Amino acid sequence: MKFIYSALVLVFLSSCGATVNVDYEKGLDWTVLKSYQFYTEMNSGLNDLDDTRIKKAIDSTLQKKTFQKTDYNQYYVSFFVEESLSNSRNTIGIGLGSGGGGISVGGGVGIPIGGKVINQRITIEFRKATTGEKLVWQAVYDGELKEKATPKQKEAYYDKVIPMMLKDFPPKENKK
């Protein structure tokens, strides 16, 4: 019985985590491409402050991977964010029940806690500068940010999310 309970808890916890979906061009020699630059004209869907936070997180992550930000780059990097507002999915459940004589009655309600959240779908794209800016790598992340997050909380959020998105960049695959 303990095993079944433990397995159910593990399945529940693993289903709650955010996921990153990655797609890339196969057959590209990723080992020779080491420089990047952001598009100068980008409509990310965010304000300038959040744009700067995301750029800073991307810069930091790529530089740790030995990429260089240059004017003569091999990649153009862009990102955009789709947002929607919703109530937090965190709830407190209250239940009532009664039973006896083979008859039972029950009821329950979930009370939302935590206020409103901003659902964000963040997309980061890399385009190869030398081939007509062809899309070669993309990551998409779905997450939640508190509606009234402070600047410090936003920075911490992007500093956590962006490295997760770029974890598998560049792909380990070499040109075959």
Side-chain angles (χ1 to χ4, degrees):
M1 187 67 179
K2 281 186 178 182
F3 174 74
I4 293 172
Y5 178 72
S6 297
L8 287 173
V9 169
L10 183 62
V11 167
F12 174 74
L13 290 176
S14 65
S15 67
C16 295
T19 59
V20 176
N21 296 313
V22 174
D23 194 11
Y24 62 92
E25 182 180 321
K26 297 206 183 283
L28 189 64
D29 187 358
W30 297 93
T31 60
V32 298
L33 303 171
K34 289 292 182 183
S35 63
Y36 72 97
Q37 185 57 265
F38 291 101
Y39 275 103
T40 53
E41 296 294 321
M42 219 180 350
N43 184 12
S44 72
L46 297 173
N47 63 42
D48 292 342
L49 296 170
D50 286 336
D51 278 353
T52 300
R53 289 180 183 107
I54 291 177
K55 284 180 181 179
K56 191 173 165 185
I58 290 172
D59 278 337
S60 172
T61 304
L62 289 177
Q63 288 170 11
K64 286 177 186 172
K65 293 175 175 266
T66 69
F67 284 86
Q68 294 180 355
K69 188 174 179 181
T70 66
D71 290 334
Y72 303 101
N73 55 305
Q74 296 164 316
Y75 291 116
Y76 283 115
V77 181
S78 66
F79 59 88
F80 54 93
V81 179
E82 299 169 50
E83 293 184 326
S84 64
L85 192 63
S86 68
N87 289 322
S88 174
R89 288 185 238 161
N90 297 326
T91 60
I92 293 177
I94 298 176
L96 300 170
S98 175
I103 300 173
S104 61
V105 177
V109 65
I111 300 171
I113 59 172
K116 294 197 179 277
V117 294
I118 299 170
N119 302 303
Q120 284 192 329
R121 171 168 278 184
I122 303 171
T123 303
I124 298 175
E125 294 183 340
F126 284 74
R127 294 180 179 273
K128 196 170 175 189
T130 57
T131 58
E133 300 175 15
K134 178 177 158 187
L135 179 65
V136 293
W137 191 90
Q138 181 184 63
V140 179
Y141 173 85
D142 290 309
E144 292 181 348
L145 179 64
K146 290 181 184 179
E147 179 187 27
K148 296 181 182 184
T150 65
K152 192 171 187 171
Q153 289 171 325
K154 287 180 179 184
E155 188 172 339
Y157 172 76
Y158 293 126
D159 285 347
K160 176 185 165 197
V161 168
I162 300 302
M164 278 188 344
M165 293 179 72
L166 296 175
K167 179 181 155 221
D168 294 325
F169 180 81
K172 302 297 181 236
E173 173 185 308
N174 287 329
K175 192 174 181 180
K176 294 176 182 171

